């Protein structure tokens, strides 16, 4: 795994002055990132007989990213103003991706049939992406009298999306199946060049599913202790839940898709002369997406 830490005071989003506001979006950005990568691969080859071979390949890859980030500074979209208020945003985000692939293929040459050749391949693959409990806590801080802790005002709401403390769950998975075959038939030749006919077909099928659910935790009263202490850990404390309401907002998203592609082709190569070779063919392909 790899660990990367960042601590910068930089413009994460710089722009011209906003009309009527006069604020440039500048934020101090503190970010820690851990990357994990794991992989395995297996390859097997078997010679069944002379000119007859099959092979099997397996691949597994898993990656993950663990991110903790905090941004503090000015945001024109949230209506902050230097010296009076600022936007404070904390992010915890775990993303995990996996790939599993299986492939079986073969090559065959039939010597007794004028070296007719046939090769084929079949494969299955599954990919996933999982984002469990992506957490974003954002609020506008308006510091008051430094000698009076109760004079501060913190509002967990703003124009920048997501505008309220949010938790997101996302899942994406895709399955793919593929099969292909090619046939090559040598033809008699009356010169030094080879003539042949070739044809083949393939079929590919993919199925994808996506699910996303978002929960917003809205503050219902300024009597919430977070209003003056500005501590994100107090926002969902068990003693303060009577000041919170949960909403499935934005709404949940569910997506299922399927794609099927099939096709075939035929072609020929004819050496009319040693210095002249003609190649022609046709291909048909169809795609069905739902």
């Amino acid at each position: 795994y790899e660990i990367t830490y960042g601590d910068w005071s930089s413009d994460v989003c710089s722009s011209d002055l906003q009309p009527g506001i006069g604020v440039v979006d500048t934020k101090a950005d503190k970010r820690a990132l851990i990357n994990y990568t794991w992989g395995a691969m297996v390859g097997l080859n078997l010679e069944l007989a002379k000119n007859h071979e099959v092979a099997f390949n397996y691949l597994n890859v898993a990656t993950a990213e663990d991110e903790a980030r905090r941004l503090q500074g000015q945001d024109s979209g949230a209506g902050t103003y230097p010296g009076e208020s600022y936007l404070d945003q904390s992010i915890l985000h775990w993303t995990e991706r996996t790939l599993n692939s299986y492939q079986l293929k073969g090559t065959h040459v039939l010597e007794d049939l004028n070296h007719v050749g046939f090769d084929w391949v079949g494969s299955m693959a599954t990919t996933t992406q999982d984002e469990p409990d992506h957490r974003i806590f954002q609020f506008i801080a308006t510091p008051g009298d430094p000698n009076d802790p109760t004079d501060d005002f913190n509002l967990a709401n703003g124009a920048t999306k997501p505008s309220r403390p949010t938790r997101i769950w996302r899942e994406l998975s895709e399955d793919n199946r593929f099969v292909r075959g090619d046939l090559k038939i040598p033809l008699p030749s009356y010169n030094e060049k080879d003539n042949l006919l070739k044809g083949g077909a393939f079929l590919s099928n993919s199925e994808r599913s996506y699910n996303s659910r978002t929960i917003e935790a809205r503050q219902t009263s300024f009597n919430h202790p977070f209003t003056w202490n500005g501590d994100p850990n107090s926002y969902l404390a068990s003693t303060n839940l009577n000041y919170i309401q949960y909403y499935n907002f934005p709404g949940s998203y569910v997506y299922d898709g399927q794609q099927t592609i099939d096709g075939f082709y035929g072609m020929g190569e004819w050496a009319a002369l040693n210095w002249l070779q003609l190649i022609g063919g046709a291909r048909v392909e169809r795609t069905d997406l739902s």
Side-chain angles (χ1 to χ4, degrees), residues 19 59 132 170 175 182 185 230:
L59 176 66
R170 295 192 188 101
D175 296 319
D182 294 285
I185 303 175

Side-chain angles (χ1 to χ4, degrees), residues 180-256:
R180 175 184 59 81
D182 294 285
L183 179 67
K184 183 173 68 175
I185 303 175
L187 298 177
S189 175
Y190 50 83
N191 53 39
E192 298 177 356
K193 303 296 184 179
D194 295 328
N195 299 327
L196 61 87
L197 289 176
K198 191 175 183 180
F202 79 94
L203 173 66
S204 174
N205 177 264
S206 299
E207 296 179 352
R208 174 182 291 182
S209 64
Y210 172 77
N211 293 277
S212 175
R213 182 170 177 82
T214 303
I215 296 295
E216 239 185 30
R218 300 184 183 180
Q219 179 179 338
T220 60
S221 171
F222 290 141
N223 292 326
H224 193 307
F226 172 79
T227 304
W228 62 83
N229 66 30
D231 180 10
N233 293 309
S234 72
Y235 194 77
L236 293 179
S238 59
T239 55
N240 298 327
L241 293 182
N242 56 316
Y243 301 115
I244 297 294
Q245 287 185 351
Y246 293 95
Y247 291 83
N248 180 202
F249 183 81
S252 299
Y253 296 94
V254 178
Y255 165 84
D256 292 297

